[in-house]
């Protein structure tokens, strides 16, 4: 093979993926980004959190990461209406013992949400076996109030694959997310190979149908996890193409049937 050297001109920008953007296009892109940012009035961020026993000792670190992300995002986007929601989920058999899901609706003041999160303990589930994760995402979308001129993002934080029984499949997941213009970030424990592969398949399906998202693989005990969640939002807000895709302007928010 041979190496390919890309040559640009003074004023050109080379992106992280190796694309060369000439100065004129770069200025046009900046103008487009500024116009899009003027349209965005709200940022809605839902955290969908696996609270089953398999989360184990890492659970306290995940709670810290969510706290940090909320703090960082509130500070950076203080000129916008930023709302945070939380849905904690277990597995289908757990509904007889504790709960299947517990929901805190989207809100500007996250103090109650963070208090509930702080008091939550992991429990239930069946080790690292599949959990009701896609069900939890669909339930979050069904219970969310979608506003116009909004950037919608959803973080699914889990260490286990999805349990597809009942029609909670990758295809249904992608349809629900796209129907609500919601950017999807599965945040997966780095040791959970099956969950990582499934999350990537879900993101590929989403992108094939004009949606967007990225898999975030991390060690849940790594103190930088909160920064990774924040960066995912910042990357959307700083990219005109992605921000245009993420804008929920005048959509009704219908949920795709299973």
């Amino acid at each position: 093979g041979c190496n390919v050297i890309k040559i640009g001109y003074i004023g050109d920008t080379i992106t992280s993926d190796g694309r060369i953007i000439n100065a004129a296009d770069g200025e046009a892109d900046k103008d487009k980004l500024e116009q899009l940012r003027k349209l965005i009035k709200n940022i809605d961020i839902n955290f969908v959190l696996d609270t089953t026993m398999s989360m184990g000792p890492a659970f306290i670190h995940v709670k810290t990461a969510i706290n940090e992300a909320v703090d960082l995002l509130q500070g950076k986007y203080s000129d916008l209406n930023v709302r945070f929601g939380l849905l904690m989920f277990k597995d289908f058999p757990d509904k007889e013992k504790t709960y299947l899901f517990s929901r805190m609706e989207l809100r500007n003041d996250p103090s109650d949400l963070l208090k509930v999160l702080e008091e939550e303990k992991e429990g239930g589930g069946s080790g690292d076996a599949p959990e009701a994760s896609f069900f939890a995402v669909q339930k979050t979308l069904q219970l969310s109030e979608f506003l116009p001129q909004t950037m919608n993002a959803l973080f699914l934080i889990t260490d286990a694959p999805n349990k597809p029984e009942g029609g909670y499949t990758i295809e249904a997941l992608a349809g629900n997310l796209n129907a609500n213009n919601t950017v999807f970030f599965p945040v997966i424990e780095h040791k959970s190979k099956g969950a990582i592969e499934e999350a990537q398949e879900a993101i590929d399906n989403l992108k094939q149908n004009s949606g967007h998202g990225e898999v975030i693989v991390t060690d849940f005990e790594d103190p930088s996890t909160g920064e990774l969640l924040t960066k995912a939002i910042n990357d959307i807000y700083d990219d005109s193409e992605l921000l245009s895709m993420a804008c929920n302007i005048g959509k009704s928010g219908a949920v795709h049937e299973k």
Side-chain angles (χ1 to χ4, degrees):
C2 59
N3 294 323
V4 177
I5 300 176
K6 295 187 177 182
I7 300 175
Y9 296 92
I10 294 174
D12 288 355
T13 301
I14 300 179
T15 65
S16 59
D17 60 358
R19 291 178 296 117
I20 296 177
I21 302 176
N22 66 49
D25 288 344
E27 285 302 313
D29 189 66
K30 285 181 182 178
D31 290 343
K32 180 182 178 182
L33 182 59
E34 287 306 310
Q35 291 302 314
L36 284 168
R37 285 177 172 175
K38 290 177 182 178
L39 292 174
I40 298 291
K41 304 299 181 187
N42 317 288
I43 298 180
D44 282 354
I45 299 169
N46 274 300
F47 297 102
V48 179
L49 176 61
D50 182 346
T51 61
T52 59
M53 186 68 74
S54 65
M55 295 292 280
F59 191 64
I60 188 171
H61 300 285
V62 171
K63 294 194 287 186
T64 299
I66 293 175
N67 268 272
E68 182 181 4
V70 168
D71 186 55
L72 290 171
L73 291 165
Q74 277 190 312
K76 181 173 177 64
Y77 300 105
S78 57
D79 58 331
L80 295 172
N81 177 39
V82 183
R83 302 191 302 171
F84 299 94
L86 172 69
L87 186 139
M88 300 179 292
F89 70 93
K90 296 190 182 293
D91 197 11
F92 295 114
D94 295 318
K95 64 183 178 181
E96 303 300 331
K97 309 169 193 174
T98 54
Y99 62 82
L100 175 53
F101 72 91
S102 177
R103 167 72 171 161
M104 297 286 287
E105 70 277 4
L106 288 159
R107 62 198 57 213
N108 299 105
D109 181 357
S111 55
D112 288 345
L113 181 152
L114 295 176
K115 182 179 179 182
V116 167
L117 179 64
E118 180 61 30
E119 294 173 351
E120 181 66 22
K121 308 293 183 185
E122 77 277 11
S126 49
D128 59 357
E131 313 284 9
S133 52
F134 291 1
F135 160 83
V137 171
Q138 176 167 312
K139 188 58 66 174
T140 300
L141 295 172
Q142 287 176 330
L143 297 176
S144 293
E145 174 198 8
F146 288 93
L147 304 175
Q149 296 177 280
T150 300
M151 174 179 160
N152 297 302
L154 187 150
F155 292 95
L156 169 63
I157 305 172
T158 184
D159 67 341
N162 168 64
K163 183 175 286 186
E165 287 87 344
Y168 300 105
T169 63
I170 285 175
E171 292 74 21
L173 175 79
N176 286 328
L177 291 163
N178 280 336
N180 294 286
N181 268 31
T182 298
V183 183
F184 182 46
F185 298 107
V187 185
I188 311 296
E189 164 61 36
H190 72 114
K191 297 176 183 177
S192 305
K193 183 179 178 182
I196 293 169
E197 292 175 349
E198 180 182 63
Q200 189 57 60
E201 186 179 348
I203 293 300
D204 292 344
N205 189 297
L206 192 63
K207 289 182 176 179
Q208 289 167 8
N209 291 281
S210 302
H212 183 72
E214 297 292 341
V215 180
I216 301 174
V217 179
T218 183
D219 179 348
F220 282 162
E221 298 186 24
D222 189 326
S224 68
T225 299
E227 294 177 6
L228 289 177
L229 305 186
T230 306
K231 182 179 182 299
I233 299 298
N234 294 343
D235 287 349
I236 300 292
Y237 196 72
D238 292 338
D239 186 301
S240 63
E241 183 177 345
L242 295 180
L243 188 59
S244 177
M245 190 183 304
C247 288
N248 182 26
I249 301 175
K251 292 202 71 170
S252 62
V255 174
H256 179 78
E257 291 301 320
K258 291 186 289 182

